[in-house]
Structures are given as C-alpha cells and as structure tokens.
Amino acid sequence: MVVGIGIDMVKIEKMQQAIKKWGGPFIEKIFDPQELENISPGKMYFQRLSARFAAKEAVIKATAKKYPLALRDILILNRHNGAPYCKLKKDIGLDILLSITHIEDYAVATAVIQTKS
Ligand SMILES: CC(C)(COP(=O)(O)OP(=O)(O)OC[C@H]1O[C@@H](n2cnc3c(N)ncnc32)[C@H](O)[C@@H]1OP(=O)(O)O)[C@@H](O)C(=O)NCCC(=O)NCCS
C-alpha cells in the first residue's frame, strides 16, 4: 500500500555554486562516499549530484515527519541497469521507489513510499 509521495526539483546552477563555494565539506554533509563512487567529475557531474539531492528531498517529503530522516541517512544508488534506488541507513520498515531525471538546468526526483510487500 502506498503511504507517501514526494517530489523535488533542484536548479543545477545553485548546486554548482554551492559546491564551488563550500567544496568538499558541503558534499560530505549531504552524500555518503558510497553514493559518490559512481559519480565521476565530468559533463554530468553537477546534474547527477543535483538529482541525488532532489531524490533525498523527495524521500524526506514522502516519509514526512512520521519517519524523520536526515540527508545522510538516505543513500541514492544505481542498479546495474542504471535505475536509481534508495537505501536507508536505518530501516523504517517501508519500501521506497524512486525516479530521477536531469537536464542542463534542472534535476527532478520523485519518491513513493509503500508498505513492504
Ligand atoms: C533509462 C532512460 C529512460 C533514461 O532517460 P534519459 O532521458 O536518457 O535520461 P533522464 O535524465 O531523464 O534520466 C536519467 C536518470 O534515469 C535513471 N535511469 C537510468 N536507467 C534507468 C532504468 N533502467 N530504469 C529507471 N530509471 C533509470 C537514472 O537515475 C538516471 O540518472 P543517473 O544516471 O544520474 O542516476 C533512457 O535512457 C532509456 O533507456 N529510454 C528507453 C527508450 C530508448 O531506448 N531510447 C533510446 C533510443 S530511441
């Protein structure tokens, strides 16, 4: 059963500016090293980081205040086929479904929370 839904949109330029200004400590405050393993600096770097930030915010919205989560509790990873998935550092007893998209200017993510099947 679906118990929550969340969406978030991030402007790539804002993420880029924040990373340029605050650098590594900013990235480490948001992302786990496991998430960064698959994101190499290059054309899509800021898009992919923005998309993961949007995905974390979407998960926080979807779980709302019932299951308080911090950004670093939420890992956004990719399956072998490229599909994103969410792994939580603490088990809240729910499944999280994710979808991500990004273009030059914006990244968008949606999250759906459902009871475990
Ligand atoms: C997977 C696919 C839908 C991605 O769409 P896209 O427009 O290229 O890219 P978007 O920016 O919208 O989305 C990118 C995100 O899709 C997600 N994604 C990748 N593969 C996925 C999959 N198999 N299932 C679900 N989501 C996937 C990823 O999260 C990716 O972002 P990330 O790499 O930063 O994690 C697309 O590549 C695809 O396979 N389309 C099928 C149709 C097709 O084959 N078209 C090409 C020939 S005409």
Side-chain angles (χ1 to χ4, degrees), residues 48 51-52 78 81-84 100-102:
R48 300 192 78 212
R52 275 141 192 81
N78 290 86
N81 68 354
I100 282 175
T101 185
H102 44 77

Side-chain angles (χ1 to χ4, degrees), residues 7-10 49-59 107-110:
I7 186 166
D8 194 60
M9 177 163 65
V10 171
L49 288 181
S50 301
R52 275 141 192 81
F53 184 81
K56 286 168 188 253
E57 292 276 277
V59 170
V108 173
T110 57

Side-chain angles (χ1 to χ4, degrees), residues 27-87:
I27 294 179
E28 283 153 26
K29 217 173 153 179
I30 300 170
F31 301 103
D32 186 273
Q34 218 183 316
E35 297 178 282
L36 300 171
E37 272 171 21
N38 302 318
I39 306 177
S40 45
K43 198 173 152 235
M44 299 278 210
Y45 183 66
F46 295 110
Q47 283 187 33
R48 300 192 78 212
L49 288 181
S50 301
R52 275 141 192 81
F53 184 81
K56 286 168 188 253
E57 292 276 277
V59 170
I60 288 170
K61 283 181 188 172
T63 51
K65 291 195 170 68
K66 258 175 142 182
Y67 307 94
L69 293 168
L71 291 170
R72 286 272 313 224
D73 293 333
I74 305 164
L75 272 63
I76 310 299
L77 304 169
N78 290 86
R79 300 195 192 285
H80 287 302
N81 68 354
Y85 70 98
C86 177
K87 186 169 130 187

